[in-house]
Amino acid sequence: MASAVISSSPFVCKSSTKVKGLGFSSFPKPSQISVHRCQKKSIVSVMAPQRSSPATSGSVKTGMTMTEKILAKAAEKSQVVPGDNIWVNVDVLMTHDVCGPGAFGIFKREFGDNAKVWDPEKIVVIPDHYIFTTDKRANRNVDIMREHCREQNIKYFYDITDLGDFRANPDYKGVCHVALAQEGHCRPGEVLLGTDSHTCTAGAFGQFATGIGNTDAGFVLGTGKILLKVPPTMRFILDGEMPSYLQAKDLILQIIGEISVAGATYKTMEFSGTTIESLSMEERMTLCNMVVEAGGKNGVIPPDATTFNYVENRTSVPFEPVYSDGNASFVADYRFDVSKLEPVVAKPHSPDNRALARECKDVKIDRVYIGSCTGGKTEDFMAAAKLLHAAGKQVKVPTFLVPATKKVWMDVYALPVPGAGGKTCAQIFEEAGCDTPTSPSCGACLGGPADTYARLNEPQVCVSTTNRNFPGRMGNKEGQIYLASPYTAAASALTGHVTDPREFLQ
Amino acid sequence: MAATSLRSVNPKFTQTLASPPTKSPPFQSPFLRFNPTTFTPKPLTTRSTFVTRSSAAEPQERKTFHGLCYVVGDNIDTDQIIPAEFLTLVPSNPDEYQKLGSYALVGLPASYKERFVEPGEMKTKYSIIIGGENFGCGSSREHAPVCLGAAGAKAVVAQSYARIFFRNSVATGEIYPLDSEVRVCEECKTGDVATVELREGDSVLINHTTGKEYKLKAIGDAGPVIDAGGIFAYARKAGMIPSVAA
């Protein structure tokens, strides 16, 4: 029955057999699955999703999804259902230079100047947002975090003191979400919170990870607990062989375009299927990273050998993976045949303003930005370099490269790109005329202080591997940002227009 | 009730007040300055949550917000509410808290002719923000509801919210996030005079300029938390955490 549903996209099969009273129509007409803004849809705004009442006969135990299981365990309960308000034990709390001072400020105000954090080994402080700037307040915020970490004996503080040379700082890492993974803080089955919306990235490791504000973080600092409402889960099953020109960024932009920027509000997005199983950890991170752009509470991918391999190489802390039960309830089911998908972009000014990259080839661009937690990891640069090398041409517009972390930067300079005769990413970038890879940080993804490298200070058109393109996101309010995969970004740099990477990859 | 004396200052970093910043703004409510011709002024209740947070609100009590509306559209994201360049301001620092208020909604495009906070001002003249779908989407930055509250807004009435913004509004108690049942952003205009009345089961938005009334959805579980003054005050009341240590 599910396969009889016709949607506007031939690659999507939406099964609504398990939708229970949450405002979704059972068989949406093609016109209702809009790829653009959600004005025509009625979004049910709920903080508490309406709970479905399964027709149980008393002793039948309801199956739970991955997220429900993780939260149940963290709340020391045997069973939870969506809608339950529960107190959850936190395994890791992350904060950075922008929200850390506020979170600690609230912690001290509420728990007392002499209060101690609940566990100095479970807090990870990662300066990454406004680092390489002369903005005095930004610099001060890193100093404030240093003070707090010293006072509280915080074990993991990836400090930076020498802003002139990032390599001179032994502890500095860079972008928090990538650093968390690289430093072994992401583990299946755990609860990870961060004062940043893209904390959902860590869901790639089969854990519950979501962003919170300063006040919630201040509360966690003191108690190690947080009050959460259990979200229902939307399941996205991606099957089929990943085409050589497609990346995880294309997959998530495809999905957000399908369900809109509020399509997953208050819900979990669970990704599974043969395509997911074929993805590397970094690609899985890209997928989960943008869950928040669909309004999602958290994203999650079942852990497997790929996950265990990555994690066990970086930490010896034991973990316990969990998986959705066969009889778990999902609030929506989407299926994608990935082999039929094409590279996509999100046009200005919304992450759900999806369009095929090849249909935007007349859009003239002014610059390209490759960086951020979404698209500035080692594999993202490898991909861009691979395309540039295959093309053998020079970029036509300024192309800014911002490695997410120190490790990524080193990989860019040290690792040979497959099929490029031993050349490194850095060499290929230089030959193609890109800007020199800069100091690792969040950079211009979110604009930042006025002197931030690659900030959009004029109303220009930029193709970017970042995560949001709302007005003013990278600086100038009239700037036009096209969100894209690293392949699409590199291809666009070569032509000076938004370009489908197949122009250079096939 | 939390002590209001300032704690000892560590010269290295900024001092914080012992109690959450009270919302007794020095400026006059816009209602008192404004001379409309079409309605009878209603007295503001002095027990509005935002003026004396220390006193617990009674369940049957009527909470009223009154003033001018500022109308925005759908998907107003956190970069429009408070552009990222202002995130260097730390909200728990009183001076920087005020500064954040002065930048509230400054990220809205130029198509918004009336600005939420006039250039040069620290506070807004609008008490009620009227929004569309998915208000507050984007970042988890708490600066978003904080700057709206710091600017002097009392409530947002929108069709729907992004979850982190909603959660942060409740946790901080900075602004009341209310759900309308219809598309009020298309029926109200910036500058309309309105009242929001919250009662058990029967909350309304009254637009005095147009004469229309709109039902608001019940705030539900979030109500007791905002009533108490945010998550910390609520947790203390519920015995989850001890009172502020001496």
Side-chain angles (χ1 to χ4, degrees):
Chain A
M1 178 165 91
S3 56
V5 172
I6 311 293
S7 69
S8 61
S9 162
F11 320 123
V12 175
C13 171
K14 182 177 188 297
S15 148
S16 325
T17 48
K18 299 212 172 101
V19 173
K20 292 182 172 73
L22 271 165
F24 295 97
S25 57
S26 290
F27 293 95
K29 301 182 186 51
S31 60
Q32 281 183 324
I33 305 184
S34 163
V35 301
H36 300 298
R37 241 155 272 268
C38 57
Q39 276 111 330
K40 297 194 178 70
K41 290 187 186 172
S42 78
I43 309 288
V44 177
S45 163
V46 281
M47 185 153 143
Q50 290 153 42
R51 189 192 306 191
S52 59
S53 314
T56 56
S57 51
S59 59
V60 173
K61 189 161 179 275
T62 319
M64 290 194 284
T65 65
M66 263 183 82
T67 296
E68 289 158 25
K69 280 189 178 176
I70 295 168
L71 294 178
K73 177 161 157 255
E76 294 166 40
K77 292 177 187 298
S78 61
Q79 173 98 45
V80 299
V81 292
D84 283 349
N85 287 308
I86 53 174
W87 284 98
V88 165
N89 294 324
V90 177
D91 292 293
V92 177
L93 174 71
M94 180 278 295
T95 189
H96 46 54
D97 52 309
V98 161
C99 293
F104 272 88
I106 290 169
F107 163 70
K108 282 185 162 287
R109 184 185 73 201
E110 300 290 343
F111 291 96
D113 254 345
N114 297 321
K116 293 293 169 209
V117 297
W118 105 94
D119 189 330
E121 298 197 4
K122 293 193 171 166
I123 298 160
V124 187
V125 180
I126 313 182
D128 65 350
H129 272 55
Y130 302 154
I131 306 301
F132 305 103
T133 172
T134 53
D135 185 300
K136 294 245 179 309
R137 259 200 318 255
N139 299 335
R140 169 208 68 171
N141 288 343
V142 181
D143 295 339
I144 290 176
M145 292 320 296
R146 189 174 309 113
E147 263 311 303
H148 284 305
C149 289
R150 251 182 226 154
E151 189 197 66
Q152 298 286 338
N153 256 313
I154 301 288
K155 185 170 179 187
Y156 302 107
F157 173 45
Y158 300 136
D159 194 7
I160 180 164
T161 47
D162 184 344
L163 304 180
D165 179 6
F166 72 91
R167 286 165 294 178
N169 302 277
D171 297 323
Y172 181 69
K173 308 292 173 208
V175 174
C176 57
H177 308 300
V178 184
L180 277 174
Q182 290 179 333
E183 299 307 310
H185 295 296
C186 300
R187 294 172 288 265
E190 290 195 0
V191 170
L192 186 152
L193 303 176
T195 57
D196 192 274
S197 61
H198 293 109
T199 307
C200 49
T201 305
F205 291 86
Q207 62 181 139
F208 178 87
T210 196
I212 56 174
N214 296 355
T215 300
D216 275 329
F219 190 93
V220 176
L221 282 170
T223 63
K225 293 181 194 294
I226 190 166
L227 181 63
L228 287 177
K229 194 173 288 280
V230 179
T233 298
M234 300 173 79
R235 189 163 53 178
F236 297 87
I237 301 178
L238 284 76
D239 286 318
E241 196 183 321
M242 188 82 153
S244 58
Y245 45 82
L246 214 68
Q247 295 183 278
K249 181 68 173 279
D250 296 296
L251 299 180
I252 191 63
L253 286 179
Q254 181 78 29
I255 292 171
I256 296 171
E258 207 66 41
I259 67 175
S260 91
V261 286
T265 299
Y266 285 107
K267 300 188 184 74
T268 300
M269 294 176 74
E270 184 176 312
F271 305 101
S272 56
T274 56
T275 315
I276 301 297
E277 289 160 24
S278 74
L279 293 179
S280 65
M281 283 318 299
E282 289 200 352
E283 284 280 83
R284 297 180 191 192
M285 285 166 68
T286 303
L287 198 64
C288 289
N289 173 280
M290 287 184 71
V291 155
V292 66
E293 267 58 79
K297 182 155 181 163
N298 69 304
V300 77
I301 292 178
D304 56 14
T306 307
T307 324
F308 305 142
N309 203 37
Y310 186 102
V311 173
E312 282 160 8
N313 271 323
R314 288 161 179 80
T315 178
S316 50
V317 174
F319 55 85
E320 202 185 301
V322 295
Y323 302 92
S324 292
D325 290 328
N327 61 342
S329 276
F330 294 91
V331 91
D333 257 299
Y334 286 83
R335 284 168 197 278
F336 290 82
D337 181 353
V338 170
S339 65
K340 301 203 166 70
L341 294 181
E342 300 183 69
V344 287
V345 295
K347 299 189 294 185
H349 298 274
S350 177
D352 67 3
N353 196 5
R354 184 187 72 192
L356 292 173
R358 62 175 164 83
E359 286 178 352
C360 298
K361 62 178 169 31
D362 293 329
V363 175
K364 191 164 177 305
I365 67 174
D366 298 302
R367 49 165 61 191
V368 167
Y369 184 97
I370 302 179
S372 84
C373 50
T374 317
K377 304 183 287 299
T378 298
E379 289 176 23
D380 300 313
F381 286 104
M382 285 286 195
K386 182 171 145 198
L387 187 143
L388 290 174
H389 184 261
K393 295 196 176 102
Q394 296 254 301
V395 296
K396 291 213 165 82
V397 294
T399 302
F400 303 103
L401 310 170
V402 187
T405 63
K406 223 201 299 184
K407 264 203 184 92
V408 174
W409 187 94
M410 294 191 319
D411 287 344
V412 163
Y413 275 91
L415 294 182
V417 176
K423 287 193 181 151
T424 63
C425 290
Q427 287 172 309
I428 294 171
F429 290 141
E430 195 186 330
E431 284 169 12
C434 302
D435 254 44
T436 309
T438 193
S439 307
S441 78
C442 296
C445 169
L446 69 163
D451 64 349
T452 303
Y453 175 80
R455 190 179 192 277
L456 248 187
N457 293 322
E458 269 141 60
Q460 293 183 317
V461 182
C462 177
V463 172
S464 175
T465 64
T466 55
N467 44 58
R468 288 203 269 266
N469 59 349
F470 295 110
R473 172 67 178 173
M474 291 182 82
N476 189 289
K477 275 194 234 182
E478 273 84 55
Q480 313 241 338
I481 302 161
Y482 287 74
L483 303 176
S485 74
Y487 278 154
T488 304
S492 306
L494 289 171
T495 65
H497 291 75
V498 176
T499 303
D500 188 302
R502 284 173 287 188
E503 298 289 314
F504 299 103
L505 278 182
Q506 279 185 316
Chain B
M1 184 164 113
T4 51
S5 62
L6 291 175
R7 296 197 170 265
S8 61
V9 175
N10 180 325
K12 285 270 180 182
F13 55 92
T14 49
Q15 67 193 37
T16 57
L17 292 174
S19 60
T22 54
K23 301 279 287 193
S24 35
F27 79 118
Q28 289 285 314
S29 157
F31 157 63
L32 295 175
R33 282 202 308 258
F34 187 78
N35 282 318
T37 53
T38 54
F39 77 109
T40 319
K42 290 187 191 183
L44 281 174
T45 60
T46 53
R47 294 191 66 195
S48 159
T49 327
F50 294 94
V51 174
T52 48
R53 194 176 292 154
S54 53
S55 52
E58 283 149 18
Q60 262 74 43
E61 184 196 314
R62 175 188 306 190
K63 279 184 273 291
T64 308
F65 314 122
H66 185 93
L68 301 178
C69 292
Y70 189 84
V71 182
V72 295
D74 295 314
N75 300 318
I76 300 298
D77 78 298
T78 46
D79 281 297
Q80 294 179 73
I81 297 174
I82 184 81
E85 63 192 287
F86 303 117
L87 298 185
T88 48
L89 296 163
V90 177
S92 50
N93 173 316
D95 288 333
E96 298 187 15
Y97 171 85
Q98 298 297 335
K99 265 221 185 76
L100 273 175
S102 70
Y103 294 123
L105 287 167
V106 78
L108 288 174
S111 50
Y112 285 85
K113 296 278 177 256
E114 287 127 333
R115 308 310 298 176
F116 185 68
V117 178
E118 293 297 322
E121 296 287 319
M122 295 295 285
K123 299 279 186 194
T124 181
K125 63 183 184 188
Y126 303 96
S127 305
I128 299 164
I129 299 166
I130 308 279
E133 305 272 23
N134 204 20
F135 187 88
C137 60
S139 168
S140 65
R141 66 190 71 153
E142 208 169 75
H143 307 66
V146 166
C147 77
L148 297 178
K154 305 292 187 226
V156 182
V157 177
Q159 257 182 299
S160 65
Y161 295 88
R163 58 159 291 269
I164 312 182
F165 178 88
F166 188 98
R167 194 190 167 87
N168 286 343
S169 300
V170 171
T172 58
E174 283 284 346
I175 192 153
Y176 240 95
L178 303 164
D179 288 86
S180 67
E181 291 181 341
V182 298
R183 214 162 152 68
V184 285
C185 60
E186 281 177 0
E187 302 196 17
C188 300
K189 284 200 171 41
T190 297
D192 284 355
V193 182
T195 303
V196 168
E197 281 186 12
L198 300 180
R199 282 181 293 253
E200 279 281 311
D202 164 60
S203 302
V204 288
L205 164 74
I206 306 162
N207 185 326
H208 299 289
T209 305
T210 63
K212 282 181 150 186
E213 235 181 71
Y214 306 93
K215 249 186 91 193
L216 301 177
K217 292 194 192 134
I219 190 96
D221 294 343
V225 180
I226 304 183
D227 290 348
I231 190 170
F232 279 102
Y234 180 81
R236 268 184 221 112
K237 269 178 80 179
M240 296 284 330
I241 59 172
S243 303
V244 175

